[in-house]
Amino acid sequence: MTDVIEVRFKGNRKEFFSWPSAEPLALHDSVIVEVERGQDLGRVSAVGPVAAKKCAGSCSGCSLAEAAAAPPPEPAYRVLRRATADDAAVAEQLHREEEDVRRRVMERVRSHTLPMKVSDAEWQWDKKKLTVYFTAEQRVDFRALVRDLASLFHTRIELRQIGARDEAKRLDGVGRCGRQYCCSSWLPELRPVSLSLAKDQHLSLNPSQISGGCGRLLCCLRYEHDFYVQTRKRFPKEGRLLRTAVGAERVLAVDVFRETVTLRTDGGDTRVVSLEKLKGEVSGADA
């Protein structure tokens, strides 16, 4: 039986492979995989039905309904074997060299006066390909640079332009919350984040307060949005006039975490009351 295996590489890059052997692979196993031109080393990040479902979900060639009805797709390449200690040592040595490679690429970029920022460099395990990741404000004609780098490193060169959020995902870091970037740790994909999400959560629209290390809007604005929308349905809207035990009071603010509501009377007096108590007062006043 052929299994679908998800394998992750440097910078949270992931790809799917088939595993034709009856001996199962386990999470975090190091494996040698077949790639377009050679072999690469990565770590198993999903196996079995989970990997098959993720592989089907990443396919853009069919609708979700078709993907659910169709059998799991067959990846184009295979896991060749488990990696040995020697294989892992080769990969570790290549990773140590990559920072020096990045500096050498930056020197060549400056000599060609190209408007691009080199973010990262990644060797393929068999050194048959070197991928250079960069950011730029516009399209860059780097054909002369590729020829220069190919003669310098004597391998196939791939220059890949990425966005600011993808750069943060590859390089990793610590966010304003004091934790590792979500995009580098657990967030499976980078979905679009718009300013309307911050408005729905009643956050400050100051860019410095709602932007991440990449300079773009925080990823958590997206995945926390449903919580805020659903929770706020239990609260009265700001500005609404309520008849409570005190009398007519207007809702100034709500706190979805403490489950409290701030109210103000026509005379200007304010108070903070729990949502449960407010509901009891409103229902009592209506009765």
Side-chain angles (χ1 to χ4, degrees), residues 196-231:
S196 63
L197 301 179
K199 293 179 180 178
D200 289 344
Q201 297 173 34
H202 294 202
L203 298 175
S204 167
L205 300 184
N206 185 339
S208 65
Q209 297 183 17
I210 56 175
S211 298
C214 60
R216 303 295 190 267
L217 293 175
L218 291 162
C219 292
C220 55
L221 296 179
R222 162 65 68 179
Y223 65 75
E224 291 178 351
H225 183 251
D226 289 342
F227 164 79
Y228 281 95
V229 171
Q230 295 300 321
T231 303

Side-chain angles (χ1 to χ4, degrees), residues 57-286:
S58 66
C59 176
S60 57
C62 56
S63 66
L64 292 178
E66 291 172 339
E74 185 74 19
Y77 299 105
R78 299 173 299 155
V79 175
L80 298 176
R81 58 181 174 83
R82 284 186 169 86
T84 65
D86 290 340
D87 296 333
V90 170
E92 185 62 30
Q93 178 61 33
L94 290 176
H95 290 332
R96 285 195 293 266
E97 296 175 2
E98 285 168 347
E99 180 57 30
D100 179 62
V101 170
R102 188 180 74 89
R103 285 194 292 266
R104 296 171 71 184
V105 173
M106 291 171 60
E107 292 173 358
R108 296 306 173 102
V109 168
R110 285 193 291 267
S111 67
H112 286 269
T113 63
L114 294 174
M116 54 190 289
K117 173 190 171 189
V118 179
S119 303
D120 198 11
E122 180 181 354
W123 276 114
Q124 190 168 287
W125 175 76
D126 57 9
K127 294 197 75 173
K128 291 184 178 179
K129 185 175 79 169
L130 174 65
T131 304
V132 177
Y133 297 87
F134 72 94
T135 59
E137 297 296 327
Q138 56 192 4
R139 291 179 62 88
V140 179
D141 183 358
F142 47 68
R143 288 173 293 182
L145 174 64
V146 169
R147 291 192 294 268
D148 191 2
L149 295 178
S151 64
L152 176 64
F153 295 108
H154 305 289
T155 189
R156 177 172 176 249
I157 302 295
E158 178 181 348
L159 265 68
R160 187 174 300 179
Q161 184 170 355
I162 59 176
R165 298 177 73 200
D166 292 300
E167 180 184 44
K169 181 175 182 177
R170 286 195 63 84
L171 300 183
D172 205 354
V174 177
R176 58 188 305 111
C177 60
R179 300 176 65 91
Q180 183 184 10
Y181 289 161
C182 297
C183 60
S184 299
S185 54
W186 66 271
L187 196 61
E189 61 182 31
L190 299 177
R191 299 175 60 192
V193 183
S194 65
L195 199 59
S196 63
L197 301 179
K199 293 179 180 178
D200 289 344
Q201 297 173 34
H202 294 202
L203 298 175
S204 167
L205 300 184
N206 185 339
S208 65
Q209 297 183 17
I210 56 175
S211 298
C214 60
R216 303 295 190 267
L217 293 175
L218 291 162
C219 292
C220 55
L221 296 179
R222 162 65 68 179
Y223 65 75
E224 291 178 351
H225 183 251
D226 289 342
F227 164 79
Y228 281 95
V229 171
Q230 295 300 321
T231 303
R232 283 188 179 277
K233 291 180 179 179
R234 301 170 45 231
F235 290 80
K237 292 185 177 180
E238 287 90 338
R240 181 180 176 185
L241 190 64
L242 302 176
R243 182 70 59 179
T244 67
V246 175
E249 293 183 291
R250 193 172 299 277
V251 179
L252 285 183
V254 300
D255 189 325
V256 297
F257 296 104
R258 296 185 176 88
E259 295 209 341
T260 59
V261 181
T262 302
L263 304 167
R264 183 175 63 187
T265 65
D266 290 339
D269 296 328
T270 62
R271 66 178 180 130
V272 179
V273 61
S274 68
L275 178 62
E276 183 179 358
K277 181 179 178 181
L278 178 61
K279 288 182 176 180
E281 290 186 11
V282 172
S283 60
D286 292 341

